[in-house]
Amino acid sequence: MDEPRDAPGVYRAPLRSRRDDVDHDAAVERALSRGLCGVGGLLHGRPRSLAEALAATEELHGDRVARRLERFAAVPDGAQVWTRTPGGPFHRGWLTGPWSYDDSGAAVALDLVHVRACDWDPDPWDEHRLPAAVAHTFRRGGRNFQRIRAAAYQPR
């Protein structure tokens, strides 16, 4: 049985830039400590709206990246997100706010500029406790924020 149609969903949030020169550990730690979930895509200047950010993202990074940003921004509040520190434990949170652009020095350096407020669990999760679909999605790898679809999401 799949999740109900009106459920906000469950997502993999790598909190990772597509750039190889960015410290992934530092990006995850910053997001967790600041109560953020985010994706990369540095822009030239702070956009005044999501529409402006999408247009600038398409111009600088292409249509595919702009569509990814649009999907990230459209995920409803209350959606469950999972991330992991590289080689470390997993973290579960819930999106609690709308898209915004963080142009602070740290966000720019870590290329985690498109962000949403996120209420992260205070304690990490070991892999053996994860819902199977979450563990499987992370084992596949990748850097994209993406929906996890499966029959059951309850931790073991």
Side-chain angles (χ1 to χ4, degrees):
M1 179 174 167
D2 289 328
E3 68 183 297
R5 283 192 177 286
D6 59 349
V10 179
Y11 295 82
R12 178 184 76 169
L15 305 176
R16 181 168 186 179
S17 173
R18 299 185 75 73
R19 293 179 14 216
D20 290 330
D21 65 326
V22 172
D23 183 344
H24 184 197
D25 284 333
V28 172
E29 291 302 327
R30 182 172 195 280
L32 294 173
S33 69
R34 299 246 177 190
L36 298 171
C37 181
V39 297
L42 188 61
L43 302 176
H44 302 303
R46 182 182 187 87
R48 291 175 293 215
S49 66
L50 177 59
E52 191 175 295
L54 292 170
T57 298
E58 184 172 356
E59 182 179 324
L60 289 169
H61 304 290
D63 183 57
R64 289 179 61 185
V65 177
R67 287 193 321 254
R68 284 187 206 120
L69 173 57
E70 185 173 34
R71 286 191 300 269
F72 171 71
V75 172
D77 284 356
Q80 190 178 115
V81 293
W82 289 87
T83 196
R84 126 177 256 195
T85 51
F90 292 81
H91 300 270
R92 178 181 65 175
W94 290 268
L95 295 178
T96 59
W99 165 90
S100 65
Y101 188 81
D102 183 354
D103 62 353
S104 67
V108 168
L110 297 170
D111 189 26
L112 201 60
V113 292
H114 299 281
V115 296
R116 296 186 56 181
C118 187
D119 183 16
W120 294 104
D121 277 344
D123 297 316
W125 291 69
D126 292 325
E127 187 168 354
H128 72 276
R129 292 183 53 220
L130 295 179
V134 172
H136 176 74
T137 300
F138 276 90
R139 276 189 220 113
R140 281 196 332 249
R143 298 182 185 193
N144 292 335
F145 180 90
Q146 68 179 174
R147 188 161 189 167
I148 299 171
R149 299 183 190 273
Y153 294 104
Q154 295 303 314
R156 295 181 219 157

